[in-house]
Amino acid sequence: MSTPLQNDRLLRALKRQPVDRTPVWLMRQAGRYLPEYRATRAAAGSFLGMAKNPEVACEITLQPLRRFDLDAAILFSDILTVPDAMGLGLYFVDGEGPKFERTVRSAADAEKLAVPDMETELRYVMDAIRLIRSELDGKVPLIGFSGSPWTLACYMVEGGGSKDYARIKAMALNDPATLHKLLSVNTDAVIAYLSAQRAAGAQALQVFDTWGGVLSPAMYREFSLPYLTRIARELERGDGDDRTPLILFGKGNAAHLEALAGSGAEGVGVDWLVELSEARRRTGGKVALQGNLDPAVLYGSPEAIRNQVRLTLDSYAEGAGGSRDGHVFNLGHGMSPDMNPDHVAVLVDAVHEFSAR
Ligand code: CP3
C-alpha cells in the first residue's frame, strides 16, 4: 500500500503544481472498445458479475494501462452500485442499459432509503480498490468515483435511463420536498462512499454529474449544485500535500463554472461545448480543469486527432496566460464501444508530445 507513487502528474496537476507534461486519462478508458475487455466479459457472463468480483474488476481496470501510456487508472465499477446497495435492485438489459426493480416516486419511498454500509454492502468495491492499489504498485494513481446526488436520483426515480427526465422533473415541480429528501440521503451516501474509497486506497476522487446539464440553470442551482457543494465541503480528504483531490465532472455544466470553482473541489471536469480558454478565464485558476475533447474526435484520422489534441491543449494555455499547469487532459465525456483502440494510443501520445514543458 505504501509503495511511493512513480507518476504523480495527475495529483500535481490537480493541485495546480508544475508537471513535465500534461497528465491524461479517459473517462470509460476500460470497456467494450477493447477486445480484451470483451473476452473477459464473455468469460464472466455479465457486467454486474464483473463489477462485483474484485479480481475481475482489477483485471479490467489494468487493461487500458497495458496498452496506453495513461497517467491514471480509474476503478472499474459503476455509479449505480450505490442505489443498488440501497436496495433498489440494479440489473442490465442488453441494448437498454441499466434498470432498477424498485423506483423512488413518493415520500414513503424516499423515507425508506438509508446510507448503505460500505464495508458490507459495498465491500466488493473496497476490496477491488485494495487489490488494484496492490497490483498497480505505485505505477500511476488510482481514481475512485461516485455518481452525483442528482444523477443517481435520475436513475432512482426514472427506474433506468431516460430521454426526457419527465418523472424526476415532475417530482421537482410537484413534490420538491420528496426530491430534496432523496438528494439529501444520496449526498450522505456519496460522502460515505467516497470516504470509504479513499480509506481503501483511492488517490483522487471524481463525482460524475452526468445529467446535471438537463436542468435549467435555476433548477440546477436548486437540485444539483448545493449537493455537489456539500460533498466538496464535507468530504474529509486530508490537508496540504496529502489532500486527496476531488474532481466535479458535469456534462453541460458550462453555465455554472464560476459556482463549481467556488465549491471547494480541487478540479472541475468540463465537456466540449465550452472553450477551455473561456473555462480557464472564468474560473481564474481557482481549480484545475479537466477535459474537454469531443469523444467523437476518436472517429477521426490519426492526423485529425493529433490536430484536435493540440487545439485543446493550446486553448487551455491561452486562457491561462500561456501556462499548461492545472490542466488534466480528458475527453468531455466517456468513450463508446465502437472506438478504435489504435486511435486512443494516438491521442495519449499526442497529449504527452505536445504538452512537454
Ligand atoms: O471510466 C471508467 O473506465 C470506469 C468505469 C465506469 C463505468 N461506468 C463502466 C461501465 C464508470 C466511471 C461508469 C460511470 C457511469 N455509469 C455513469 C457516469 C459516467 C458517464 O459515462 O456519464 C453512468 C451514467 C453510468 C450508468 C451506466 N452503466 C450506463 C449508462 C451504462 C451503459 C449501458 C449500455 O448498455 O451501454 C452502464 C454500464 C457500464 N458501465 C459499462 C461499462 C464499461 C458497459 C457494460 C457492458 O455492457 O459491458
Side-chain angles (χ1 to χ4, degrees):
M1 274 296 271
S2 53
T3 326
L5 194 54
Q6 292 147 39
N7 175 346
D8 62 355
R9 283 185 196 107
L10 174 80
L11 303 186
R12 290 185 59 87
L14 288 170
K15 290 172 189 147
R16 288 165 285 127
Q17 295 167 349
V19 282
D20 60 340
R21 49 194 209 186
T22 299
V24 53
W25 69 279
L26 305 175
M27 290 186 274
R28 294 267 182 100
Q29 65 191 26
R32 286 170 289 189
Y33 77 101
L34 290 175
E36 58 271 34
Y37 173 92
R38 295 194 299 269
T40 307
R41 193 186 192 287
S46 74
F47 168 71
L48 265 187
M50 296 196 298
K52 291 190 176 183
N53 179 324
E55 281 78 28
V56 177
C58 175
E59 161 60 21
I60 298 170
T61 300
L62 300 178
Q63 284 175 351
L65 296 157
R66 296 191 189 113
R67 278 182 181 253
F68 315 120
D69 191 14
L70 293 157
D71 294 297
I74 177 162
L75 165 71
F76 178 77
S77 189
D78 201 82
I79 62 167
L80 301 178
T81 54
V82 170
D84 184 51
M86 287 170 152
L88 297 194
L90 175 64
Y91 65 101
F92 283 84
V93 180
D94 262 338
E96 285 180 54
K99 304 249 186 241
F100 284 111
E101 279 160 28
R102 288 166 286 281
T103 54
V104 181
R105 304 251 167 101
S106 67
D109 295 338
E111 283 305 324
K112 278 188 270 178
L113 299 171
V115 175
D117 185 80
M118 299 299 152
E119 282 294 345
T120 55
E121 283 134 315
L122 287 161
R123 178 168 199 113
Y124 64 91
V125 176
M126 308 311 150
D127 285 342
I129 291 174
R130 288 184 277 261
L131 189 59
I132 297 162
R133 274 297 303 274
S134 132
E135 292 291 313
L136 277 173
D137 200 27
K139 190 171 172 264
V140 291
L142 174 64
I143 304 168
F145 68 89
S146 167
S148 74
W150 163 259
T151 293
L152 295 176
C154 286
Y155 288 94
M156 296 165 84
V157 173
E158 301 289 340
S162 174
K163 280 197 292 285
D164 52 13
Y165 303 88
R167 289 193 180 91
I168 192 166
K169 287 187 178 183
M171 186 188 274
L173 295 162
N174 302 335
D175 189 7
T178 292
L179 183 53
H180 280 299
K181 164 89 198 152
L182 168 58
L183 293 166
S184 165
V185 67
N186 282 357
T187 304
D188 294 337
V190 168
I191 291 170
Y193 191 47
L194 292 176
S195 77
Q197 291 187 37
R198 176 174 178 266
Q203 292 148 295
L205 299 165
Q206 174 156 317
V207 173
F208 285 89
D209 190 26
T210 306
W211 305 127
V214 305
L215 289 167
S216 69
M219 296 256 263
Y220 180 91
R221 285 191 297 269
E222 178 171 357
F223 296 105
S224 189
L225 182 63
Y227 298 99
L228 293 171
T229 303
R230 180 147 84 81
I231 294 165
R233 302 233 161 110
E234 290 180 14
L235 177 64
E236 190 17 90
R237 53 192 188 280
D239 294 304
D241 231 33
D242 290 332
R243 190 167 174 83
T244 306
L246 173 72
I247 306 161
L248 299 179
F249 165 75
K251 246 198 112 218
N253 62 5
H256 309 286
L257 296 178
E258 292 84 352
L260 290 165
S263 66
E266 284 68 32
V268 172
V270 296
D271 71 17
W272 62 95
L273 298 184
V274 62
E275 278 288 345
L276 223 36
S277 56
E278 180 198 325
R280 177 59 181 74
R281 273 193 287 272
R282 283 171 50 204
T283 51
K286 276 170 78 179
V287 285
L289 291 179
Q290 177 177 281
N292 70 344
L293 193 69
D294 181 349
V297 166
L298 285 165
Y299 298 123
S301 66
E303 199 193 336
I305 293 166
R306 285 169 58 81
N307 189 38
Q308 293 294 320
V309 164
R310 193 201 298 265
L311 290 172
T312 303
L313 286 166
D314 290 351
S315 179
Y316 180 88
E318 185 204 319
S323 170
R324 300 192 189 280
D325 296 342
H327 182 203
V328 175
F329 199 98
N330 206 314
L331 304 174
H333 196 198
M335 296 191 57
S336 299
D338 61 350
M339 286 171 170
N340 178 348
D342 296 339
H343 286 192
V344 176
V346 170
L347 182 159
V348 170
D349 293 343
V351 173
H352 286 150
E353 181 186 332
F354 297 142
S355 70
R357 314 294 203 256

